[in-house]
Amino acid sequence: MQVEITIVSGRTLKNVNWQHGTLKPYAVLWIDSGPKCTSKVDTVHDEDPIWDEKISITLPPTSRPDTAVLYMDIVHANPLPGTKPLVGSAQLPLRDVLNEARSGKVPRSLKLKRPSGRPHGKLEIKIGVNDHPMNYGQVGPQGQPAYYGYGGPPPQQHQYPYGAPAAPPAGYPSAYGYGAPRPPVPVHGSPRASTAQTSNRGMDANTKLAVGVATKLFGETFKSVFN
């Protein structure tokens, strides 16, 4: 079974980035223990984002339509140190919309909850169901693969791994060296440093030899001219 979700918009979201600027939210969606996918980032509308983006998710093989749950997180993109990027979460049991969604897209307005459990903001979606699924794990043409922190099943009891800045969603360049260590600096006594020192000593010896030969030739030439 294929579940087709249109992430329409959000309203009065919590600006978790208030110390640094405006909110730049994107949505993360998954069903039960299935893979996660994300929407694009809204960089314009701050606390009232507009995505209007369709994402398709295949029901995991271990899930049943009458017990499966659609989970949704709204996250601030590229958080600075000290900013907790989780804006709010919502969930929707598929059984609540299953019959209606088979005949067309069903609109739903979902309350978002902060990590503390306190309601803050709303999420507007449309949901439909297609009983002829694509291959498991495949998302729709606009659904993006999960990014850092979203590669596995949803953490238990909603303990989200948002402690470190996430890799930016598609279209957001990474900082220099993101995900890869800087090249090591040669240390005195290491193979690279020893090679460099040996090369310098060889160069000094060659230079001295060339200077000696040039001096000898110049002296012989000087004698032949004035004798």
Side-chain angles (χ1 to χ4, degrees):
M1 186 176 76
Q2 195 78 13
V3 181
E4 299 177 349
I5 308 105
T6 300
I7 303 294
V8 181
S9 62
R11 287 186 290 161
T12 61
L13 304 186
K14 171 70 174 180
N15 183 6
V16 297
N17 192 46
W18 63 273
Q19 291 181 310
H20 306 290
T22 59
L23 185 67
K24 297 177 176 58
Y26 64 99
V28 183
L29 298 88
W30 71 95
I31 295 176
D32 291 347
S33 60
K36 299 181 179 182
C37 55
T38 69
S39 73
K40 62 189 177 183
V41 178
D42 185 338
T43 61
V44 176
H45 299 99
D46 197 17
E47 299 175 15
D48 299 293
I50 299 174
W51 297 286
D52 197 22
E53 182 173 359
K54 175 183 172 183
I55 297 176
S56 296
I57 305 176
T58 302
L59 189 72
T62 56
S63 298
R64 294 170 44 189
D66 59 336
T67 59
V69 177
L70 171 65
Y71 296 92
M72 291 155 282
D73 284 349
I74 305 301
V75 185
H76 172 65
N78 302 325
L80 294 174
T83 300
K84 297 180 179 179
L86 180 58
V87 176
S89 304
Q91 53 183 285
L92 177 66
L94 294 185
R95 64 174 177 269
D96 292 354
V97 295
L98 203 55
N99 292 332
E100 293 178 82
R102 282 194 168 101
S103 57
K105 287 288 185 70
V106 179
R108 283 291 184 271
S109 180
L110 305 174
K111 291 183 179 180
L112 289 171
K113 290 186 177 182
R114 297 281 297 140
S116 64
R118 180 173 57 86
H120 194 129
K122 289 187 177 182
L123 182 64
E124 304 294 332
I125 68 169
K126 295 179 182 178
I127 185 168
V129 171
N130 184 352
D131 288 315
H132 303 285
M134 298 185 291
N135 293 331
Y136 173 69
Q138 183 177 354
V139 297
Q142 296 183 30
Q144 302 297 322
Y147 293 95
Y148 178 83
Y150 291 105
Q156 297 298 317
Q157 300 179 354
H158 282 212
Q159 297 299 317
Y160 296 92
Y162 295 138
Y172 284 76
S174 300
Y176 172 80
Y178 183 88
R182 292 178 179 271
V185 178
V187 179
H188 183 75
S190 66
R192 290 182 60 184
S194 299
T195 302
Q197 292 167 3
T198 302
S199 176
N200 289 337
R201 285 198 296 268
M203 184 181 298
D204 292 342
N206 291 336
T207 302
K208 291 177 181 179
L209 179 61
V211 170
V213 172
T215 302
K216 183 177 180 181
L217 292 176
F218 178 79
E220 292 178 354
T221 303
F222 182 84
K223 291 178 180 179
S224 63
V225 171
F226 292 95
N227 290 336

Short mmCIF file of all heavy atoms in Angstrom, two decimals, residues 114-183:
data_model
loop_
_atom_site.label_atom_id
_atom_site.label_comp_id
_atom_site.label_asym_id
_atom_site.label_seq_id
_atom_site.Cartn_x
_atom_site.Cartn_y
_atom_site.Cartn_z
N ARG A 114 5.41 20.25 21.12
CA ARG A 114 6.81 20.48 21.42
C ARG A 114 7.40 19.25 22.12
O ARG A 114 6.66 18.39 22.59
CB ARG A 114 6.95 21.72 22.31
CG ARG A 114 6.46 23.00 21.66
CD ARG A 114 7.50 23.55 20.71
NE ARG A 114 8.70 23.90 21.45
CZ ARG A 114 9.93 23.67 21.02
NH1 ARG A 114 10.15 23.07 19.88
NH2 ARG A 114 10.98 24.04 21.75
N PRO A 115 8.74 19.12 22.19
CA PRO A 115 9.34 17.97 22.90
C PRO A 115 8.83 17.83 24.34
O PRO A 115 8.81 16.72 24.88
CB PRO A 115 10.84 18.29 22.87
CG PRO A 115 11.01 19.12 21.64
CD PRO A 115 9.77 19.95 21.54
N SER A 116 8.41 18.92 24.95
CA SER A 116 7.87 18.87 26.31
C SER A 116 6.46 18.29 26.36
O SER A 116 5.95 17.98 27.43
CB SER A 116 7.84 20.29 26.91
OG SER A 116 6.96 21.12 26.17
N GLY A 117 5.82 18.16 25.17
CA GLY A 117 4.45 17.68 25.11
C GLY A 117 3.43 18.80 25.01
O GLY A 117 2.24 18.55 24.80
N ARG A 118 3.88 20.03 25.13
CA ARG A 118 2.97 21.17 25.07
C ARG A 118 2.59 21.48 23.62
O ARG A 118 3.45 21.55 22.75
CB ARG A 118 3.63 22.40 25.70
CG ARG A 118 2.77 23.67 25.70
CD ARG A 118 3.46 24.77 26.49
NE ARG A 118 4.77 25.06 25.96
CZ ARG A 118 5.00 25.92 24.95
NH1 ARG A 118 3.98 26.54 24.38
NH2 ARG A 118 6.23 26.15 24.55
N PRO A 119 1.29 21.65 23.32
CA PRO A 119 0.87 21.98 21.94
C PRO A 119 1.40 23.35 21.53
O PRO A 119 1.40 24.30 22.31
CB PRO A 119 -0.65 21.99 22.03
CG PRO A 119 -0.99 21.23 23.27
CD PRO A 119 0.15 21.47 24.22
N HIS A 120 1.87 23.42 20.30
CA HIS A 120 2.33 24.71 19.76
C HIS A 120 2.35 24.61 18.24
O HIS A 120 3.22 23.97 17.67
CB HIS A 120 3.71 25.07 20.27
CG HIS A 120 4.08 26.51 20.03
ND1 HIS A 120 4.55 27.34 21.02
CD2 HIS A 120 4.01 27.28 18.91
CE1 HIS A 120 4.78 28.54 20.52
NE2 HIS A 120 4.45 28.53 19.24
N GLY A 121 1.40 25.26 17.58
CA GLY A 121 1.34 25.29 16.12
C GLY A 121 0.51 24.17 15.53
O GLY A 121 0.14 23.20 16.20
N LYS A 122 0.23 24.33 14.23
CA LYS A 122 -0.57 23.33 13.50
C LYS A 122 0.10 22.99 12.18
O LYS A 122 0.83 23.80 11.60
CB LYS A 122 -1.98 23.85 13.25
CG LYS A 122 -2.85 23.92 14.50
CD LYS A 122 -4.28 24.27 14.16
CE LYS A 122 -5.15 24.24 15.42
NZ LYS A 122 -6.59 24.54 15.10
N LEU A 123 -0.21 21.79 11.70
CA LEU A 123 0.32 21.29 10.44
C LEU A 123 -0.84 20.89 9.55
O LEU A 123 -1.70 20.10 9.95
CB LEU A 123 1.24 20.09 10.68
CG LEU A 123 1.93 19.46 9.47
CD1 LEU A 123 2.88 20.46 8.82
CD2 LEU A 123 2.68 18.21 9.88
N GLU A 124 -0.89 21.48 8.35
CA GLU A 124 -1.96 21.17 7.40
C GLU A 124 -1.44 20.17 6.37
O GLU A 124 -0.41 20.41 5.72
CB GLU A 124 -2.43 22.44 6.70
CG GLU A 124 -2.88 23.56 7.63
CD GLU A 124 -4.13 23.21 8.41
OE1 GLU A 124 -4.95 22.39 7.91
OE2 GLU A 124 -4.30 23.73 9.53
N ILE A 125 -2.14 19.05 6.22
CA ILE A 125 -1.73 18.03 5.27
C ILE A 125 -2.95 17.52 4.48
O ILE A 125 -4.10 17.77 4.86
CB ILE A 125 -1.04 16.83 5.95
CG1 ILE A 125 -2.04 16.04 6.79
CG2 ILE A 125 0.14 17.30 6.81
CD1 ILE A 125 -1.52 14.71 7.28
N LYS A 126 -2.66 16.81 3.42
CA LYS A 126 -3.66 16.02 2.69
C LYS A 126 -3.09 14.62 2.55
O LYS A 126 -1.89 14.46 2.29
CB LYS A 126 -3.95 16.62 1.32
CG LYS A 126 -4.62 17.99 1.36
CD LYS A 126 -4.85 18.53 -0.03
CE LYS A 126 -5.47 19.92 -0.01
NZ LYS A 126 -5.65 20.46 -1.38
N ILE A 127 -3.94 13.62 2.71
CA ILE A 127 -3.45 12.25 2.67
C ILE A 127 -4.35 11.37 1.80
O ILE A 127 -5.58 11.49 1.84
CB ILE A 127 -3.34 11.68 4.10
CG1 ILE A 127 -2.72 10.29 4.09
CG2 ILE A 127 -4.67 11.69 4.82
CD1 ILE A 127 -2.31 9.80 5.48
N GLY A 128 -3.71 10.55 0.99
CA GLY A 128 -4.42 9.61 0.14
C GLY A 128 -3.76 8.25 0.22
O GLY A 128 -2.63 8.12 0.67
N VAL A 129 -4.47 7.22 -0.24
CA VAL A 129 -3.96 5.85 -0.17
C VAL A 129 -4.11 5.19 -1.53
O VAL A 129 -5.16 5.30 -2.19
CB VAL A 129 -4.72 5.02 0.90
CG1 VAL A 129 -4.34 3.55 0.81
CG2 VAL A 129 -4.42 5.56 2.28
N ASN A 130 -3.04 4.52 -1.95
CA ASN A 130 -3.03 3.77 -3.20
C ASN A 130 -2.72 2.32 -2.85
O ASN A 130 -1.67 2.03 -2.27
CB ASN A 130 -1.99 4.34 -4.16
CG ASN A 130 -2.00 3.65 -5.51
OD1 ASN A 130 -2.67 2.65 -5.69
ND2 ASN A 130 -1.24 4.19 -6.44
N ASP A 131 -3.62 1.41 -3.18
CA ASP A 131 -3.41 0.00 -2.83
C ASP A 131 -2.49 -0.73 -3.78
O ASP A 131 -2.32 -1.95 -3.67
CB ASP A 131 -4.76 -0.73 -2.78
CG ASP A 131 -5.58 -0.31 -1.57
OD1 ASP A 131 -5.01 -0.24 -0.48
OD2 ASP A 131 -6.79 -0.03 -1.73
N HIS A 132 -1.88 -0.04 -4.74
CA HIS A 132 -0.91 -0.64 -5.66
C HIS A 132 0.44 -0.01 -5.40
O HIS A 132 0.82 0.98 -6.03
CB HIS A 132 -1.32 -0.41 -7.12
CG HIS A 132 -2.69 -0.94 -7.42
ND1 HIS A 132 -2.95 -2.29 -7.57
CD2 HIS A 132 -3.88 -0.30 -7.56
CE1 HIS A 132 -4.24 -2.46 -7.81
NE2 HIS A 132 -4.83 -1.27 -7.81
N PRO A 133 1.19 -0.55 -4.42
CA PRO A 133 2.42 0.11 -3.97
C PRO A 133 3.57 -0.01 -4.94
O PRO A 133 3.63 -0.92 -5.76
CB PRO A 133 2.75 -0.64 -2.66
CG PRO A 133 2.18 -2.01 -2.88
CD PRO A 133 0.93 -1.79 -3.70
N MET A 134 4.53 0.95 -4.80
CA MET A 134 5.82 0.85 -5.47
C MET A 134 6.69 -0.08 -4.64
O MET A 134 6.27 -0.63 -3.63
CB MET A 134 6.47 2.23 -5.58
CG MET A 134 5.68 3.22 -6.41
SD MET A 134 6.56 4.77 -6.64
CE MET A 134 6.54 5.44 -4.98
N ASN A 135 7.94 -0.25 -5.03
CA ASN A 135 8.87 -1.05 -4.26
C ASN A 135 9.06 -0.44 -2.88
O ASN A 135 9.12 0.77 -2.72
CB ASN A 135 10.23 -1.15 -4.96
CG ASN A 135 10.12 -1.93 -6.26
OD1 ASN A 135 9.28 -2.81 -6.38
ND2 ASN A 135 10.97 -1.61 -7.21
N TYR A 136 9.20 -1.31 -1.88
CA TYR A 136 9.35 -0.83 -0.51
C TYR A 136 10.58 0.05 -0.37
O TYR A 136 11.65 -0.27 -0.88
CB TYR A 136 9.49 -2.01 0.46
CG TYR A 136 9.81 -1.58 1.86
CD1 TYR A 136 8.86 -0.90 2.63
CD2 TYR A 136 11.05 -1.81 2.42
CE1 TYR A 136 9.15 -0.48 3.90
CE2 TYR A 136 11.34 -1.40 3.70
CZ TYR A 136 10.38 -0.73 4.44
OH TYR A 136 10.68 -0.31 5.70
N GLY A 137 10.40 1.15 0.32
CA GLY A 137 11.52 2.06 0.55
C GLY A 137 11.62 3.15 -0.50
O GLY A 137 12.33 4.12 -0.32
N GLN A 138 10.88 3.02 -1.61
CA GLN A 138 10.94 4.04 -2.66
C GLN A 138 10.02 5.19 -2.28
O GLN A 138 8.91 4.97 -1.80
CB GLN A 138 10.51 3.44 -4.00
CG GLN A 138 10.60 4.41 -5.17
CD GLN A 138 10.23 3.73 -6.47
OE1 GLN A 138 10.02 2.53 -6.50
NE2 GLN A 138 10.14 4.50 -7.52
N VAL A 139 10.46 6.40 -2.51
CA VAL A 139 9.63 7.57 -2.23
C VAL A 139 9.25 8.21 -3.55
O VAL A 139 9.80 7.90 -4.60
CB VAL A 139 10.38 8.58 -1.33
CG1 VAL A 139 10.66 7.95 0.01
CG2 VAL A 139 11.66 9.04 -1.98
N GLY A 140 8.28 9.10 -3.48
CA GLY A 140 7.83 9.77 -4.69
C GLY A 140 8.88 10.66 -5.30
O GLY A 140 9.93 10.89 -4.71
N PRO A 141 8.61 11.21 -6.50
CA PRO A 141 9.62 11.98 -7.21
C PRO A 141 10.11 13.20 -6.45
O PRO A 141 11.23 13.64 -6.64
CB PRO A 141 8.89 12.39 -8.51
CG PRO A 141 7.44 12.24 -8.21
CD PRO A 141 7.34 11.13 -7.22
N GLN A 142 9.28 13.76 -5.57
CA GLN A 142 9.71 14.94 -4.83
C GLN A 142 10.16 14.60 -3.41
O GLN A 142 10.65 15.44 -2.69
CB GLN A 142 8.57 15.96 -4.77
CG GLN A 142 8.20 16.49 -6.15
CD GLN A 142 7.13 17.56 -6.06
OE1 GLN A 142 7.04 18.27 -5.08
NE2 GLN A 142 6.31 17.68 -7.08
N GLY A 143 9.95 13.36 -2.99
CA GLY A 143 10.38 12.97 -1.65
C GLY A 143 11.89 12.80 -1.61
O GLY A 143 12.46 12.12 -2.44
N GLN A 144 12.53 13.43 -0.67
CA GLN A 144 13.98 13.37 -0.57
C GLN A 144 14.38 12.30 0.44
O GLN A 144 13.66 12.04 1.39
CB GLN A 144 14.52 14.72 -0.12
CG GLN A 144 14.15 15.87 -1.06
CD GLN A 144 14.73 15.68 -2.43
OE1 GLN A 144 15.86 15.21 -2.57
NE2 GLN A 144 13.97 16.01 -3.45
N PRO A 145 15.53 11.66 0.24
CA PRO A 145 15.98 10.66 1.21
C PRO A 145 16.30 11.29 2.55
O PRO A 145 16.54 12.48 2.65
CB PRO A 145 17.26 10.09 0.56
CG PRO A 145 17.72 11.17 -0.35
CD PRO A 145 16.48 11.85 -0.85
N ALA A 146 16.29 10.47 3.58
CA ALA A 146 16.54 10.96 4.93
C ALA A 146 17.97 11.45 5.06
O ALA A 146 18.89 10.93 4.45
CB ALA A 146 16.28 9.86 5.93
N TYR A 147 18.18 12.47 5.91
CA TYR A 147 19.50 13.04 6.13
C TYR A 147 20.01 12.62 7.51
O TYR A 147 19.39 11.84 8.20
CB TYR A 147 19.46 14.55 5.99
CG TYR A 147 19.16 14.96 4.59
CD1 TYR A 147 17.86 15.26 4.20
CD2 TYR A 147 20.15 14.97 3.62
CE1 TYR A 147 17.57 15.59 2.90
CE2 TYR A 147 19.87 15.32 2.31
CZ TYR A 147 18.58 15.62 1.96
OH TYR A 147 18.29 15.94 0.68
N TYR A 148 21.14 13.17 7.89
CA TYR A 148 21.80 12.79 9.13
C TYR A 148 20.82 12.81 10.30
O TYR A 148 20.10 13.75 10.51
CB TYR A 148 22.96 13.75 9.41
CG TYR A 148 23.66 13.46 10.70
CD1 TYR A 148 24.64 12.48 10.75
CD2 TYR A 148 23.32 14.15 11.85
CE1 TYR A 148 25.29 12.21 11.94
CE2 TYR A 148 23.96 13.89 13.03
CZ TYR A 148 24.94 12.92 13.07
OH TYR A 148 25.57 12.65 14.24
N GLY A 149 20.83 11.74 11.09
CA GLY A 149 19.94 11.65 12.23
C GLY A 149 18.61 11.02 11.92
O GLY A 149 17.80 10.81 12.80
N TYR A 150 18.38 10.70 10.63
CA TYR A 150 17.09 10.13 10.24
C TYR A 150 17.25 8.82 9.47
O TYR A 150 16.38 8.40 8.75
CB TYR A 150 16.33 11.11 9.33
CG TYR A 150 15.86 12.32 10.06
CD1 TYR A 150 16.51 13.53 9.88
CD2 TYR A 150 14.80 12.26 10.94
CE1 TYR A 150 16.10 14.66 10.55
CE2 TYR A 150 14.38 13.39 11.62
CZ TYR A 150 15.03 14.58 11.42
OH TYR A 150 14.62 15.69 12.08
N GLY A 151 18.41 8.17 9.61
CA GLY A 151 18.66 6.99 8.80
C GLY A 151 18.00 5.72 9.29
O GLY A 151 17.90 4.77 8.54
N GLY A 152 17.55 5.66 10.54
CA GLY A 152 17.00 4.43 11.08
C GLY A 152 15.56 4.59 11.52
O GLY A 152 14.91 5.57 11.22
N PRO A 153 15.04 3.60 12.24
CA PRO A 153 13.66 3.70 12.73
C PRO A 153 13.52 4.82 13.75
O PRO A 153 14.51 5.26 14.34
CB PRO A 153 13.44 2.32 13.39
CG PRO A 153 14.80 1.84 13.72
CD PRO A 153 15.70 2.38 12.64
N PRO A 154 12.30 5.30 13.97
CA PRO A 154 12.12 6.40 14.93
C PRO A 154 12.59 6.01 16.31
O PRO A 154 12.33 4.89 16.77
CB PRO A 154 10.59 6.62 14.91
CG PRO A 154 10.03 5.34 14.36
CD PRO A 154 11.05 4.82 13.41
N PRO A 155 13.35 6.87 16.99
CA PRO A 155 13.84 6.55 18.33
C PRO A 155 12.69 6.26 19.29
O PRO A 155 11.60 6.80 19.14
CB PRO A 155 14.59 7.82 18.74
CG PRO A 155 14.89 8.51 17.45
CD PRO A 155 13.77 8.18 16.53
N GLN A 156 12.94 5.43 20.27
CA GLN A 156 11.91 5.09 21.24
C GLN A 156 11.54 6.30 22.09
O GLN A 156 12.38 7.11 22.46
CB GLN A 156 12.40 3.95 22.15
CG GLN A 156 12.68 2.66 21.39
CD GLN A 156 11.44 2.11 20.72
OE1 GLN A 156 10.37 2.10 21.32
NE2 GLN A 156 11.57 1.66 19.49
N GLN A 157 10.27 6.42 22.41
CA GLN A 157 9.73 7.46 23.27
C GLN A 157 10.10 8.87 22.77
O GLN A 157 10.22 9.80 23.54
CB GLN A 157 10.25 7.29 24.71
CG GLN A 157 9.84 5.95 25.32
CD GLN A 157 10.35 5.78 26.72
OE1 GLN A 157 11.12 6.61 27.21
NE2 GLN A 157 9.94 4.72 27.39
N HIS A 158 10.29 8.97 21.46
CA HIS A 158 10.56 10.27 20.84
C HIS A 158 11.75 10.99 21.46
O HIS A 158 11.74 12.18 21.69
CB HIS A 158 9.32 11.15 20.90
CG HIS A 158 8.31 10.78 19.87
ND1 HIS A 158 7.48 11.67 19.28
CD2 HIS A 158 8.01 9.58 19.30
CE1 HIS A 158 6.69 11.06 18.40
NE2 HIS A 158 7.00 9.78 18.42
N GLN A 159 12.81 10.22 21.73
CA GLN A 159 14.07 10.83 22.16
C GLN A 159 14.89 11.12 20.92
O GLN A 159 15.58 10.26 20.41
CB GLN A 159 14.83 9.89 23.11
CG GLN A 159 14.07 9.60 24.39
CD GLN A 159 13.82 10.87 25.19
OE1 GLN A 159 14.70 11.71 25.33
NE2 GLN A 159 12.61 11.01 25.72
N TYR A 160 14.79 12.32 20.40
CA TYR A 160 15.32 12.63 19.08
C TYR A 160 16.81 12.97 19.13
O TYR A 160 17.26 13.68 20.01
CB TYR A 160 14.55 13.81 18.48
CG TYR A 160 13.11 13.47 18.24
CD1 TYR A 160 12.17 13.75 19.23
CD2 TYR A 160 12.71 12.86 17.06
CE1 TYR A 160 10.86 13.42 19.04
CE2 TYR A 160 11.37 12.53 16.88
CZ TYR A 160 10.45 12.82 17.87
OH TYR A 160 9.16 12.49 17.68
N PRO A 161 17.57 12.48 18.13
CA PRO A 161 19.01 12.76 18.08
C PRO A 161 19.30 14.11 17.47
O PRO A 161 19.91 14.22 16.43
CB PRO A 161 19.53 11.62 17.19
CG PRO A 161 18.40 11.36 16.25
CD PRO A 161 17.14 11.59 17.05
N TYR A 162 18.83 15.18 18.13
CA TYR A 162 18.99 16.51 17.55
C TYR A 162 20.06 17.32 18.26
O TYR A 162 20.05 18.53 18.21
CB TYR A 162 17.66 17.28 17.61
CG TYR A 162 16.57 16.70 16.78
CD1 TYR A 162 15.27 16.63 17.27
CD2 TYR A 162 16.83 16.21 15.50
CE1 TYR A 162 14.26 16.09 16.52
CE2 TYR A 162 15.82 15.67 14.75
CZ TYR A 162 14.52 15.62 15.25
OH TYR A 162 13.53 15.08 14.49
N GLY A 163 20.99 16.65 18.94
CA GLY A 163 21.96 17.38 19.73
C GLY A 163 23.01 18.09 18.90
O GLY A 163 23.57 19.08 19.31
N ALA A 164 23.28 17.56 17.68
CA ALA A 164 24.32 18.15 16.84
C ALA A 164 23.70 18.67 15.56
O ALA A 164 22.65 18.20 15.15
CB ALA A 164 25.39 17.10 16.52
N PRO A 165 24.31 19.66 14.91
CA PRO A 165 23.76 20.17 13.66
C PRO A 165 23.65 19.06 12.63
O PRO A 165 24.56 18.27 12.46
CB PRO A 165 24.79 21.22 13.22
CG PRO A 165 25.49 21.61 14.47
CD PRO A 165 25.52 20.38 15.32
N ALA A 166 22.52 19.04 11.94
CA ALA A 166 22.31 18.01 10.92
C ALA A 166 22.91 18.44 9.60
O ALA A 166 23.12 19.62 9.35
CB ALA A 166 20.81 17.77 10.73
N ALA A 167 23.20 17.46 8.77
CA ALA A 167 23.63 17.77 7.43
C ALA A 167 22.49 18.49 6.72
O ALA A 167 21.35 18.11 6.88
CB ALA A 167 23.99 16.50 6.67
N PRO A 168 22.75 19.53 5.96
CA PRO A 168 21.67 20.32 5.37
C PRO A 168 20.88 19.54 4.35
O PRO A 168 21.42 18.68 3.67
CB PRO A 168 22.42 21.48 4.70
CG PRO A 168 23.79 20.95 4.46
CD PRO A 168 24.06 20.01 5.59
N PRO A 169 19.61 19.81 4.23
CA PRO A 169 18.83 19.18 3.17
C PRO A 169 19.32 19.59 1.80
O PRO A 169 20.15 20.47 1.65
CB PRO A 169 17.43 19.73 3.43
CG PRO A 169 17.43 20.12 4.87
CD PRO A 169 18.82 20.61 5.13
N ALA A 170 18.76 18.95 0.78
CA ALA A 170 19.21 19.19 -0.59
C ALA A 170 19.15 20.67 -0.93
O ALA A 170 18.18 21.36 -0.63
CB ALA A 170 18.34 18.40 -1.57
N GLY A 171 20.19 21.16 -1.59
CA GLY A 171 20.23 22.56 -1.98
C GLY A 171 20.94 23.45 -1.00
O GLY A 171 21.15 24.63 -1.26
N TYR A 172 21.35 22.89 0.17
CA TYR A 172 22.06 23.68 1.16
C TYR A 172 23.49 23.21 1.25
O TYR A 172 23.74 22.09 1.67
CB TYR A 172 21.37 23.56 2.52
CG TYR A 172 20.12 24.40 2.57
CD1 TYR A 172 18.97 23.97 1.93
CD2 TYR A 172 20.10 25.63 3.20
CE1 TYR A 172 17.82 24.75 1.94
CE2 TYR A 172 18.96 26.41 3.22
CZ TYR A 172 17.82 25.96 2.58
OH TYR A 172 16.70 26.73 2.59
N PRO A 173 24.46 24.03 0.80
CA PRO A 173 25.86 23.58 0.76
C PRO A 173 26.40 23.31 2.14
O PRO A 173 26.06 23.99 3.10
CB PRO A 173 26.59 24.75 0.10
CG PRO A 173 25.73 25.93 0.40
CD PRO A 173 24.31 25.42 0.37
N SER A 174 27.24 22.30 2.24
CA SER A 174 27.89 21.98 3.50
C SER A 174 29.06 22.91 3.74
O SER A 174 29.63 23.49 2.82
CB SER A 174 28.40 20.54 3.47
OG SER A 174 27.34 19.64 3.27
N ALA A 175 29.45 23.05 4.99
CA ALA A 175 30.63 23.83 5.32
C ALA A 175 31.88 23.08 4.90
O ALA A 175 31.85 21.88 4.65
CB ALA A 175 30.66 24.11 6.82
N TYR A 176 32.99 23.80 4.81
CA TYR A 176 34.24 23.18 4.39
C TYR A 176 34.58 22.00 5.29
O TYR A 176 34.56 22.11 6.51
CB TYR A 176 35.38 24.20 4.46
CG TYR A 176 36.74 23.57 4.23
CD1 TYR A 176 37.17 23.29 2.94
CD2 TYR A 176 37.56 23.22 5.29
CE1 TYR A 176 38.39 22.70 2.71
CE2 TYR A 176 38.78 22.63 5.08
CZ TYR A 176 39.21 22.38 3.78
OH TYR A 176 40.42 21.79 3.58
N GLY A 177 34.88 20.88 4.68
CA GLY A 177 35.33 19.72 5.43
C GLY A 177 34.23 18.96 6.12
O GLY A 177 34.50 18.06 6.89
N TYR A 178 32.92 19.28 5.88
CA TYR A 178 31.83 18.60 6.57
C TYR A 178 31.85 17.12 6.23
O TYR A 178 31.84 16.74 5.08
CB TYR A 178 30.48 19.19 6.16
CG TYR A 178 29.34 18.57 6.90
CD1 TYR A 178 28.94 19.09 8.13
CD2 TYR A 178 28.69 17.45 6.41
CE1 TYR A 178 27.90 18.53 8.83
CE2 TYR A 178 27.66 16.88 7.12
CZ TYR A 178 27.26 17.43 8.31
OH TYR A 178 26.23 16.85 9.00
N GLY A 179 31.89 16.30 7.24
CA GLY A 179 31.84 14.86 7.04
C GLY A 179 33.17 14.22 6.75
O GLY A 179 33.27 13.02 6.56
N ALA A 180 34.24 14.99 6.67
CA ALA A 180 35.57 14.43 6.39
C ALA A 180 36.61 15.13 7.24
O ALA A 180 36.54 16.34 7.44
CB ALA A 180 35.92 14.59 4.91
N PRO A 181 37.58 14.39 7.76
CA PRO A 181 38.61 15.03 8.61
C PRO A 181 39.56 15.87 7.79
O PRO A 181 39.78 15.62 6.61
CB PRO A 181 39.32 13.82 9.23
CG PRO A 181 39.13 12.72 8.24
CD PRO A 181 37.77 12.96 7.62
N ARG A 182 40.12 16.88 8.42
CA ARG A 182 41.13 17.69 7.75
C ARG A 182 42.40 16.87 7.56
O ARG A 182 42.69 15.98 8.35
CB ARG A 182 41.45 18.94 8.57
CG ARG A 182 40.31 19.94 8.63
CD ARG A 182 40.71 21.13 9.50
NE ARG A 182 39.65 22.10 9.55
CZ ARG A 182 39.51 23.08 8.69
NH1 ARG A 182 40.37 23.21 7.70
NH2 ARG A 182 38.52 23.94 8.81
N PRO A 183 43.19 17.15 6.52
CA PRO A 183 44.44 16.40 6.33
C PRO A 183 45.38 16.61 7.49
O PRO A 183 45.48 17.72 8.02
CB PRO A 183 45.00 16.98 5.03
CG PRO A 183 44.35 18.30 4.88
CD PRO A 183 42.99 18.18 5.49
#
